[in-house]
Amino acid sequence: MQHLESYLQGRWQRGQGDATPIHDANTGAVLADACSRGLDLGAALSHARDVGGPALRALTFAERGAILMTLSRAIRDIRDELLDLEADNMGSTRGDAKFDVDGASGTLAFYAQLGSQLGDRRTLVDGEEVRLSRSARWVGQHVLVPRRGAAIHINAFNFPAWNMAEKLAAALLAGVPVLTKPATATAVAAERVVRAFVDTGALPDGALSLLCGSVGDLLDHVGPQDAIVFTGSGDTGRKVKGHPAVLRHNVPVNVEADSLNAAVVGPDIGPGDATWDMAVTEIVRELGQKAGQKCTAIRRILVPAEREDDLRAALLDRFTVMQVGDPRVHETTVGALSTPQQKTDVEAGVAAMAAAGLELAWQFEGDVPSSGSYVAPRLFRSAAGADAPYVHEHEVFGPVATLLPYSGDADEAAGIVARGGGSLVSSVFSDDADWAGGLLLELAAWNGRLYWGSAKVADGATGHGAVMPGTVHGGPGKAGGGEELGGERGLRFYLQRCAIQGDAGLLRRLLG
Ligand code: NAP
């Protein structure tokens, strides 16, 4: 059995005492453990701030970008090993694991490229000079400088490689050292990735730390220049935001949490249309990929009432090829849930949906292995239309979605999506530019990202659930209120904006 280690203060170390077991999602067997008890997390943060921070700030954006490119290649070099680890630890099919692992290396490469574009600078200016008085010499210029603390990244169980890489890419490029903490239950791949990163020798001492095991007293040690980025449940996100030391020092906290994402099928499309096929493809993919354990997965499917039977028939037709089972078997399309706890939570959520009066529109009828963390994918429908109980409040984090018939009216659709209280992403499938355009601008206030499926992009779009590093990831309200990625925007969280007022000539000399 593997004992996962943490990488703190530039060395691999392990906590003392009872370790948390980490399971094989397919069999339930224990395959590793992790323990953080007794680790000096205050010293680890100090090392990051005092050693890693200055080293990173001494580098230009281009030099930091070159490090990210080395890290991206390091992941690619152990890709097959990571895919196997995720199959065992998380029940991920090869396709699901690729989504995580390739997403990680791709996002690092994207930010490496951005570093190269930002070039030989260490400081970013924000906007134009602002004239502040009658004198043309007296101006203000906003600058963005790296925070002098550490970036603390607390990640969710479902994307051990990507979730870690997308966060650290932006922080390291900004010039801020990272302490990353994967979810314990799926930390096996994350630990392997950090070992590969360390082995490259490209990272300055203190630039990256890894904490395997529970968060312990980490947050007691945060200071006023630190920044926290969290992905996981809304409940834990609120605990992080409300931690006394976080509140005392006004530490910025970026949260990505539960999200009731929606897909809206427009009234103008139907069977035979390219846009209709696109909607069907996205809904099917979002239900099965990573066994529905994606923060971006479609949970609520809004369909014009007169098209509901057509859509259900189209989905059922596509579901016939679904195979639930061992992710290492080529024919398997839906693997296991990542943890026994996930299985318990999903089964409880499904029972609550049925108890709330939602009708089962489809359930996977093939064999579902009884060992490990497998569940049968399901599609529910709401006979009460948009007034569906439960589905606007609770995210069942598995292969489960609900059909919500609506009238086809854009205002009604906007209102239904908004009842989710804020989402990471919603899709609109329509070729009616006026209808869809009005709806999208209404939905924009409730979503971090919108995905407009139309015939014009049926072949070239990237997928509802795919988070692209060039556009932002995050969402208002229930989705956590956070924002990550979005190219250079992703760096801003780690940078302090300061308005420097002074002589225009002197400022130009300072800032180039
Ligand atoms: P979680 O229980 O909130 O855990 C997330 C992370 O927080 C883990 O690394 C966990 O560490 C850590 N953590 C636990 N207690 C903490 C505390 N008191 N202070 C600081 N950190 C703490 O979430 P999860 O089990 O990974 O996922 C549960 C739910 O989150 C899912 O069912 C889903 O609804 C949601 N989720 C949302 C997203 C998204 O991007 N929006 C992504 C994934 C999951 P340990 O693992 O060591 O406990």
Side-chain angles (χ1 to χ4, degrees), residues 20 153-159 162-163 167 181-186 212-216 219 230-237 239-240 243 255-259 293-296 299 339 341-342 345 395-398 424 473 478-480 484:
T20 306
H153 294 165
I154 301 175
N155 294 325
F157 71 86
N158 54 342
F159 283 98
W162 173 80
N163 207 202
K167 287 183 171 63
K181 191 207 112 43
T184 305
T186 58
C212 282
S214 97
V215 75
L219 297 183
F230 170 85
T231 301
S233 65
D235 285 345
T236 312
K239 278 188 206 158
V240 171
H243 188 283
V255 173
E256 311 288 348
D258 322 330
S259 179
Q293 300 166 107
K294 276 186 357 217
C295 49
T296 50
R299 309 290 178 196
T339 66
Q341 184 61 47
Q342 270 299 114
D345 291 351
E395 182 189 30
V396 178
F397 209 62
L424 292 173
H473 173 59
K478 192 175 182 65
E484 296 178 84

Side-chain angles (χ1 to χ4, degrees), residues 370-440:
S370 54
S371 64
S373 305
Y374 296 94
V375 295
R378 288 173 179 86
L379 184 68
F380 283 91
R381 76 174 292 269
S382 165
D387 284 327
Y390 199 86
V391 294
H392 302 301
E393 284 90 40
H394 301 282
E395 182 189 30
V396 178
F397 209 62
V400 183
T402 304
L403 288 166
L404 299 171
Y406 78 110
S407 67
D409 177 71
D411 289 341
E412 188 195 347
I416 298 169
V417 174
R419 285 175 65 173
S423 304
L424 292 173
V425 51
S426 292
S427 278
V428 174
F429 297 97
S430 170
D431 293 315
D432 181 335
D434 292 336
W435 186 91
L439 175 58
L440 286 162

Side-chain angles (χ1 to χ4, degrees), residues 73-355:
R73 290 196 186 107
I75 292 183
R76 289 214 299 274
D77 288 347
I78 57 165
R79 181 174 185 258
D80 283 337
E81 187 187 345
L82 291 171
L83 301 186
D84 287 343
L85 289 177
E86 294 201 359
D88 292 344
N89 183 198
M90 302 176 62
S92 302
T93 63
R94 197 169 166 83
D96 291 348
K98 279 195 233 168
F99 194 58
D100 181 44
V101 172
D102 295 345
S105 56
T107 304
L108 283 162
F110 174 91
Y111 274 96
Q113 180 65 28
L114 179 61
S116 143
Q117 284 162 14
L118 293 173
D120 292 335
R121 287 182 281 165
R122 292 180 182 79
T123 308
L124 293 176
V125 297
D126 176 29
E128 303 291 320
E129 261 175 27
V130 184
R131 193 165 150 178
L132 299 170
S133 76
R134 263 193 238 159
S135 164
R137 300 186 71 92
W138 182 243
V139 299
Q141 174 67 61
H142 294 90
V143 298
L144 296 161
V145 296
R147 299 177 72 87
R148 265 42 180 177
I152 296 167
H153 294 165
I154 301 175
N155 294 325
F157 71 86
N158 54 342
F159 283 98
W162 173 80
N163 207 202
M164 178 169 71
E166 55 101 9
K167 287 183 171 63
L168 69 81
L172 294 180
L173 188 59
V176 176
V178 170
L179 187 151
T180 185
K181 191 207 112 43
T184 305
T186 58
V188 177
E191 198 238 30
R192 181 66 190 93
V193 168
V194 173
R195 281 190 188 276
F197 286 174
V198 170
D199 289 349
T200 65
L203 284 163
D205 186 17
L208 180 62
S209 309
L210 168 74
L211 174 60
C212 282
S214 97
V215 75
D217 65 358
L218 176 68
L219 297 183
D220 292 344
H221 302 286
V222 295
Q225 287 282 310
D226 295 332
I228 301 173
V229 187
F230 170 85
T231 301
S233 65
D235 285 345
T236 312
R238 281 184 283 281
K239 278 188 206 158
V240 171
K241 275 185 173 167
H243 188 283
V246 171
L247 292 174
R248 186 162 61 249
H249 297 296
N250 289 315
V251 179
V253 183
N254 190 86
V255 173
E256 311 288 348
D258 322 330
S259 179
L260 293 159
N261 312 300
V264 183
V265 176
D268 60 302
I269 59 167
D273 295 339
T275 308
W276 173 268
D277 290 344
M278 199 181 176
V280 171
T281 298
E282 292 299 331
I283 294 165
V284 170
R285 184 197 294 127
E286 292 301 306
L287 191 86
Q289 191 172 44
K290 290 184 70 70
Q293 300 166 107
K294 276 186 357 217
C295 49
T296 50
I298 296 169
R299 309 290 178 196
R300 301 177 295 158
I301 305 158
L302 280 65
V303 56
E306 77 252 24
R307 288 271 181 234
E308 186 190 353
D309 288 345
D310 291 336
L311 182 62
R312 185 167 168 271
L315 295 174
L316 265 56
D317 186 46
R318 299 282 289 274
F319 289 152
T320 52
V321 296
M322 191 178 266
Q323 294 259 20
V324 178
D326 187 332
R328 289 155 297 209
V329 171
H330 183 67
E331 288 73 26
T332 297
T333 57
V334 180
L337 295 177
S338 295
T339 66
Q341 184 61 47
Q342 270 299 114
K343 179 173 173 170
T344 304
D345 291 351
V346 169
E347 284 177 342
V350 164
M353 290 172 85

